[in-house]
Amino acid sequence: MSQKQLKEAFISNLNGTSLLEISAGLSLAPLCLLCRGLLLILYHLHHGKPVSSRKYSLLLDFLVLVSPLLFSCTVLSPIIFLMPVILAAFCAGIFSKIYSQRKREARAPFGQIVKEFHKAYLDPEYIPAVTVFRVYVNVLTSVSILAVDFPQYPRRYAKAETYGTGVMDLGVGAFIFGNALVCPEVRQKSYMTQPRFSSLARQVFSVWPLISLGVGRLLSVKYIEYHEHTSEYGVHWNFFFTLAFVRLAASLLLAIFPKHKAWLVGLALAVLYQLLLSTTSLKVFILHGSDGRDSRLGFLDANREGLLSLLGYLAIYLASVQVGLWLLQRRASLRGWLEALRGLALAILALFVLLQLCQACGEPVSRRLANLPFCTWVLAHCLLLLSWFVLTDLTLVFTKLLVKGSSVPCCWNVVHPPGSSKKHGMEAVPVGREDKLSQLCLISAINKNQLLFFLLANVMTGAVNILIDTIHSKAAFTLCILHLYMFLNCLIMYILHARNIVLKFW
């Protein structure tokens, strides 16, 4: 077999992993975020000021936010269920140290802090969990697209061939979910006062970079004969095209139907598509081609996975728009966010019950088909991860109240309650130098240029695969390459952010 065939075989015919293992892996990102926040608060407690060095800030962020994920999906994957326990214990140790030192300094009593926490008001204009969710999906995707070509990356984490729940299968759906959370229909406050199709016209213009990237990827892959998994999206299709067309189709549907009914439109679309898969020959066509022998004749046949899975991804996108609208409801008080967490928990429970029913009465999860179980699975795990990030933010808010004046980048600000300011509404009062710290934050840096980050990851992944025999690499070499790859990408984002450069021209 040629090197190209070896690499294609290396990522083919896989079956995924268990839902429990994926849930355990997802808990690592919120725990890393919590660990980094607690370390920054502890530093402030010792030195009376935040970390002021950009070099040390970048190093801390990379070592705490990114490096543990690289280890957990490679050499530490055999103990993946122990990793959350280890990180949680480490976080508990840091919190205990913070609490004990604040007691020695005769800070406010713990009971008073609890009361202050319950009465706290949070900045209603910014939800850090949404930003962190989108950034971490990008980071985890960037790690996986290169790590999957190395033997240290467990095959069960890679994309399943037909049925199964691989980590990378979830990543595809999570990307759609994250994009929908901040789409124009969610963010546009004056949406109801503008012509219904004005947003659609802007979306047509805004997706041209995605289409250009899709065409560029297609031409480059074919030109250099880069290895590709045909049953993933087809012969000519790729994920950039999926992102572009899902956004366009969603904008069209949301221009026709009320956006506050987006979840109903998504549910109807997913159920209708599942009925077509179950009652017609559509499923056989997607899996085996028009002649039943995996033919690739004609554009539709050649790209049947990518084209027909658009229906499932569109359903995920529309449901995620509803989540975004619900999150942006003005709930400034901490009590409001505790109720929101309760609502998220109920939604997650309902989705997991629905998932079990779908798999028991129908068919397993299939990213290739983007069937109803796949849509349900993606939404359940994305809401689970999002709720963990919200819980992490609330924990950091409580810890910041223990250490007055401390700050954590990309974390909620405590604000004045209504009526306590001369201005109407609420006025954000950052606890510490939040603006300065945001310039030293890797999450903010990646968030400013997310598409560029993803594009650079794809380009560097291709370069590594061309220059290195990844399949036969040793563990130490693999870890060095993955850390260098991620650090270079993060460093570029960090430099652009430090210079306030946003490479967005659409």
Side-chain angles (χ1 to χ4, degrees):
M1 296 176 70
S2 66
Q3 188 74 2
K4 180 174 181 285
Q5 291 172 324
L6 280 172
K7 290 192 173 184
E8 288 174 352
F10 192 56
I11 57 175
S12 301
N13 302 313
L14 305 171
N15 299 312
T17 186
S18 66
L19 299 183
L20 186 60
E21 185 170 14
I22 291 176
S23 298
L26 286 180
S27 68
L28 297 179
L31 286 169
C32 288
L33 186 70
L34 178 61
C35 178
R36 175 261 211 157
L38 293 174
L39 285 172
L40 289 174
I41 294 172
L42 182 62
Y43 181 91
H44 186 279
L45 184 62
H46 282 170
H47 297 87
K49 61 180 181 179
V51 178
S52 57
S53 168
R54 292 185 175 182
K55 178 176 63 176
Y56 292 132
S57 175
L58 173 61
L59 188 60
L60 173 67
D61 279 359
F62 184 81
L63 290 178
V64 180
L65 299 179
V66 179
S67 191
L69 304 179
L70 287 170
F71 280 101
S72 65
C73 70
T74 51
V75 294
L76 295 182
S77 59
I79 59 167
I80 189 65
F81 289 104
L82 285 178
M83 291 290 292
V85 178
I86 295 170
L87 281 174
F90 187 64
C91 290
I94 302 173
F95 181 84
S96 176
K97 191 169 185 179
I98 292 172
Y99 179 68
S100 63
Q101 293 199 2
R102 65 163 287 278
K103 282 178 66 179
R104 284 204 303 267
E105 296 178 14
R107 300 293 179 94
F110 185 79
Q112 181 181 332
I113 295 294
V114 173
K115 290 180 181 178
E116 188 178 344
F117 177 67
H118 280 294
K119 294 178 181 178
Y121 281 79
L122 306 174
D123 185 357
E125 302 298 328
Y126 173 59
I127 305 172
V130 173
T131 299
V132 175
F133 176 92
R134 297 182 71 243
V135 167
Y136 254 116
V137 166
N138 218 327
V139 169
L140 290 167
T141 302
S142 300
V143 169
S144 295
I145 59 175
L146 178 58
V148 71
D149 295 314
F150 289 90
Q152 288 74 25
Y153 189 87
R155 296 301 90 194
R156 65 185 185 276
Y157 290 180
K159 289 178 180 176
E161 184 69 26
T162 302
Y163 294 105
T165 52
V167 174
M168 295 185 71
D169 294 314
L170 178 62
V172 175
F175 226 99
I176 297 288
F177 182 92
N179 273 9
L181 288 180
V182 295
C183 70
E185 289 80 9
V186 172
R187 291 182 289 107
Q188 192 175 343
K189 296 181 180 179
S190 58
Y191 180 84
M192 299 301 294
T193 62
Q194 294 186 355
R196 302 194 75 179
F197 287 90
S198 62
S199 178
L200 178 61
R202 285 193 296 273
Q203 284 287 70
V204 170
F205 177 73
S206 68
V207 299
W208 74 262
L210 292 172
I211 295 176
S212 301
L213 291 173
V215 172
R217 175 178 170 79
L218 171 64
L219 295 177
S220 60
V221 165
K222 300 300 180 183
Y223 179 75
I224 65 176
E225 296 186 348
Y226 190 76
H227 67 277
E228 53 184 330
H229 195 189
T230 304
S231 64
E232 190 176 340
Y233 295 106
V235 177
H236 311 102
W237 203 261
N238 58 58
F239 188 58
F240 289 113
F241 291 141
T242 295
L243 281 175
F245 281 90
V246 164
R247 284 180 59 179
L248 284 177
S251 293
L252 176 60
L253 288 175
L254 292 173
I256 298 172
F257 299 99
K259 64 176 182 176
H260 62 275
K261 300 291 185 183
W263 73 276
L264 285 174
V265 180
L267 177 62
L269 187 63
V271 171
L272 177 62
Y273 177 51
Q274 183 61 50
L275 288 174
L276 289 174
L277 289 173
S278 303
T279 59
T280 69
S281 60
L282 183 62
K283 185 196 302 183
V284 176
F285 171 68
I286 295 175
L287 297 180
H288 305 293
S290 56
D291 62 356
R293 292 176 294 186
D294 199 27
S295 63
R296 296 286 174 180
L297 304 173
F299 183 77
L300 176 60
D301 203 0
N303 302 284
R304 55 186 184 268
E305 294 92 349
L307 292 170
L308 293 172
S309 65
L310 287 173
L311 295 172
Y313 289 125
L314 180 57
I316 293 172
Y317 190 97
L318 290 169
S320 307
V321 167
Q322 191 75 58
V323 175
L325 291 170
W326 179 76
L327 285 173
L328 284 183
Q329 291 177 7
R330 197 174 183 86
R331 50 172 77 82
S333 68
L334 182 131
R335 187 168 300 176
W337 278 105
L338 291 176
E339 292 174 359
L341 273 178
R342 192 180 304 116
L344 284 172
L346 290 174
I348 293 164
L349 179 61
L351 286 167
F352 273 116
V353 170
L354 177 60
L355 175 60
Q356 295 304 318
L357 290 174
C358 287
Q359 295 196 109
C361 304
E363 59 185 2
V365 172
S366 173
R367 173 201 46 82
R368 190 174 176 186
L369 297 172
N371 55 7
L372 180 59
F374 173 76
C375 298
T376 308
W377 171 59
V378 166
L379 289 171
H381 272 94
C382 286
L383 288 178
L384 180 63
L385 180 58
L386 189 63
S387 64
W388 280 342
F389 281 132
V390 172
L391 185 60
T392 298
D393 284 331
L394 294 178
T395 305
L396 290 175
V397 168
F398 179 81
T399 313
K400 286 197 295 182
L401 292 175
L402 291 176
V403 183
K404 301 293 185 182
S406 60
S407 289
V408 178
C410 290
C411 178
W412 257 313
N413 296 334
V414 176
V415 300
H416 289 309
S420 64
S421 175
K422 293 181 180 180
K423 296 181 180 179
H424 296 290
M426 297 187 193
E427 181 184 354
V429 180
V431 184
R433 289 179 289 177
E434 211 62 62
D435 291 337
K436 182 178 180 181
L437 272 174
S438 67
Q439 298 176 3
L440 309 172
C441 178
L442 182 58
I443 294 173
S444 297
I446 296 174
N447 183 54
K448 267 195 171 181
N449 286 288
Q450 287 207 48
L451 184 58
L452 178 64
F453 182 84
F454 185 56
L455 177 60
L456 278 176
N458 277 269
V459 171
M460 286 195 277
T461 295
V464 170
N465 272 282
I466 291 171
L467 297 173
I468 295 173
D469 179 13
T470 56
I471 296 179
H472 301 102
S473 297
K474 302 297 182 183
F477 181 74
T478 298
L479 289 173
C480 288
I481 291 296
L482 289 176
H483 275 84
L484 180 60
Y485 151 79
M486 284 303 297
F487 185 77
L488 284 176
N489 204 346
C490 291
L491 179 61
I492 292 171
M493 297 302 105
Y494 200 79
I495 292 172
L496 291 175
H497 181 48
R499 298 183 178 182
N500 201 27
I501 298 173
V502 180
L503 296 180
K504 184 174 180 178
F505 42 85
W506 58 92

